[in-house]
């Protein structure tokens, strides 16, 4: 037996602890979300009716199953608040992802063109903001964007505006905050694919008479599509459920689903509806992931 | 032939410079304002340490900061243990039952919106009747951050030359000894980086902590968050600068650790 095979067996035992942990604290909780989303709201502690108890045996389980209701899901469909929240979340995430791609691509492209030594420094510089606190970075923008903040002071001093402009609690502030926070998530996968690209391909394109511009659109960009996809997913999915940034920077009239869910849970204390909202959100997010996975697999099969 | 297409253009330089300025300017401005003597956040009143002193007398904020540091230290340590084991299983275990589910569970929390993760963990804790506080937040943070550790460690483990381990076993080590004496020292920078990433992520989290904490055990981000919602206070600038300084120290130590090992002939990945 080769050494590699011998090594594989104890390595499998290494999976036991993390496997159990993730099953217990990641998988099982979703079961509870699902279970409570089928329950009814109650004025009690915890604020939902008991659904079913596996320890009571099959008969009790059957009786409980008859009581399960899809009312919470029906409410989600019938209430405009939820539909609008979902729609707004998807739109905000799509627009932000597009902006991130537009800003992140040139930066990643510039990084990939740097000499080797400078590339790792640039990479470090992009990663550092990812390490620094998310909340602090949003707060830094509040400092700048508030009514008598730096931005308005500069604009007034330059006589570009006559009176302070309202920046905070607008959609533009929210987009700015989202783009700012997620930029490293977009740059890193883009940079990874761009840096791996074989320069010989570019040479070949120019030898064959392509202008730099058409080389970019015919060679570089298509080859960087896996990075584009990874970056877009890495940004799109968490932005859909984003809570902190819209809560601090956007106006209060149009809420994203993350905020609606939070409000339903903490303010209205309607746990079953909040759970149902989470289930729907999860389904909405798993769909693009599954699609991406299938596309990638097809690409792999196509190339091999 | 020279490679004209590979040369860096002014456009590349400008987009890089603008990008980095965009990333760093707001943070620099925040740090400068934290030394502002004026009570009005945006009126410059000269340099002062006034808001740092204010923070040192703010009992509630200090308690929250202490709570955050404890949660971050404990959760980062357990996340590093579990995450490293997971990375070893994924890159050395080859095929095992439920491997797809395992890797799926490890990657999902990286992109899952925090509201969902927080909500589901809270429902679990309520269902089993766990008292919410330090331990529930710590468990929640461990779950989230071990996935990051696993990714970081795995990225270091995957390209590692396996013949080193095989050589150790040919020389009479059993697999566990080979791992401990050969592989572990080689991936140590990644493990250290993973711990620090887990630490800073835990120190940063508002959403999951809000769902899983109980009354009286708010973490620093939760307190900062509730203050910021009410309006900007200069004290927050000082607290944020202190957190930034702490994280900067962590990053410097991390890069120093990876430099040390790259000096030993191993090129270290930045993450």
């Amino acid at each position: 037996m080769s050494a590699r095979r011998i090594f594989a067996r104890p390595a499998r035992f290494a999976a036991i602890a993390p496997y159990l942990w993730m099953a217990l604290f990641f998988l099982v909780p979703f079961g509870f979300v699902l279970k409570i989303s089928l329950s009814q709201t109650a004025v009690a502690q915890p604020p939902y009716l008991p659904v079913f108890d596996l320890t009571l045996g099959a008969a009790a389980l059957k009786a409980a199953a008859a009581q399960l209701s899809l009312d919470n899901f029906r409410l989600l469909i019938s209430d405009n608040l939820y539909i609008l929240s979902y729609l707004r979340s998807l739109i905000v995430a799509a627009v932000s992802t597009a902006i991130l791609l537009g800003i992140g691509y040139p930066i990643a492209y510039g990084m990939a063109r740097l000499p080797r030594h400078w590339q790792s420094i640039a990479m470090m510089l992009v990663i550092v903001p990812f390490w620094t606190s998310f909340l602090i970075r949003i707060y830094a923008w509040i400092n700048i964007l508030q009514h008598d903040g730096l931005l308005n002071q500069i604009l007034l001093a330059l006589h570009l505006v006559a009176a302070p402009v309202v920046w905070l609690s607008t959609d533009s502030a929210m987009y700015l905050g989202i783009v700012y926070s997620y930029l490293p998530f977009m740059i890193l996968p883009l940079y990874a694919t761009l840096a791996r690209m074989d320069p010989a391909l570019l040479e070949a394109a120019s030898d064959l008479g392509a202008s730099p511009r058409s080389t970019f659109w015919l060679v570089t960009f298509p080859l960087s599509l896996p990075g584009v996809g990874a970056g877009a997913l890495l940004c799109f999915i968490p932005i859909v459920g984003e809570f902190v940034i819209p809560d601090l920077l956007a106006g209060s009239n149009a809420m994203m689903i993350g905020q609606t869910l939070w409000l339903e849970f903490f303010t209205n204390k309607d746990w079953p509806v909040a759970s149902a909202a989470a289930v729907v959100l999860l389904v909405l997010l798993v769909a693009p992931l599954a699609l991406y996975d299938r596309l990638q697999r097809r690409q792999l099969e196509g190339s091999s | 032939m020279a490679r004209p297409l590979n040369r860096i253009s002014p456009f590349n330089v400008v987009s890089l410079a603008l990008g980095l300025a965009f990333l760093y300017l707001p943070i620099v401005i925040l740090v400068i304002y934290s030394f502002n003597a004026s009570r009005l956040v945006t009126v410059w009143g000269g340099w002062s340490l006034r808001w740092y002193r204010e923070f040192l007398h703010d009992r509630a904020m200090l308690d929250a900061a202490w709570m955050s540091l404890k949660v971050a230290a404990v959760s980062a340590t357990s996340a590093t243990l579990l995450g490293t084991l997971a990375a070893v299983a994924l890159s050395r275990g080859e095929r095992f039952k439920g491997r797809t589910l395992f890797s799926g569970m490890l990657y999902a929390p990286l992109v899952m919106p925090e509201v969902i993760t927080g909500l589901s963990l809270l429902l679990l804790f309520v269902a089993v009747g766990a008292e919410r506080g330090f331990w529930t937040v710590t468990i929640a943070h461990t779950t989230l951050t071990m996935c990051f550790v696993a990714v970081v460690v795995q990225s270091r483990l995957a390209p590692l030359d396996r013949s080193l381990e095989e050589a150790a076993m040919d020389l009479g080590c059993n697999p566990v000894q080979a791992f401990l004496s050969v592989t572990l020292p080689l991936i140590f920078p990644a493990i250290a980086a993973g711990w620090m990433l887990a630490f800073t992520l835990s120190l940063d989290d508002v959403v999951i902590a809000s769902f899983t904490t109980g009354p009286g055990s708010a973490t620093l981000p939760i307190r900062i968050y509730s203050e910021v919602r009410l309006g900007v206070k200069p004290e927050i600038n000082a607290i944020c600068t202190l957190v930034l300084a702490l994280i900067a120290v962590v990053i410097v130590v991390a890069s120093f650790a990876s430099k040390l090992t790259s000096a030993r002939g191993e090129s270290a990945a930045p993450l």
Side-chain angles (χ1 to χ4, degrees), chain A residues 4 12 19 21-22 29 32 113 125 133-134 139 143 148 153 180 199 202-203 237 241 243 247 262 265, chain B residues 3 5 22-24 41-42 96 98 105 111 115 119-120 122 127 143 166 204 210 225 229 232-233 237:
Chain A
R4 181 165 297 189
R12 267 180 245 160
Y19 209 133
W21 183 282
M22 287 314 281
F32 280 100
R113 292 245 161 148
L125 283 173
S133 172
F134 193 65
Y139 176 69
N143 258 339
D148 50 358
Q153 286 180 20
Y180 183 65
L202 303 180
E203 275 174 50
I237 293 181
F243 166 75
D247 195 54
W262 177 285
F265 195 87
Chain B
R3 290 199 247 162
L5 285 166
F22 176 59
L23 283 176
Y24 283 91
V41 185
T42 47
F96 56 88
M105 282 195 298
V111 287
V115 227
L119 177 77
S120 63
L122 171 60
T143 310
E166 286 165 16
D204 186 21
S210 296
Y225 181 69
R229 269 181 126 177
V232 176
K233 271 172 62 183
N237 283 338

Side-chain angles (χ1 to χ4, degrees), chain B residues 153-197:
Chain B
V153 175
Q154 207 197 341
S155 71
R156 172 94 183 176
L157 206 48
L160 211 62
D161 191 354
R162 286 205 183 181
S163 51
L164 292 169
E165 286 156 8
E166 286 165 16
M169 282 186 272
D170 285 345
L171 293 171
C173 279
N174 66 40
V176 176
Q177 284 170 331
F179 176 79
L180 290 179
S181 55
V182 176
T183 319
L184 195 62
L186 285 173
I187 60 170
F188 186 75
I191 294 177
W195 188 90
M196 287 162 192
L197 185 61

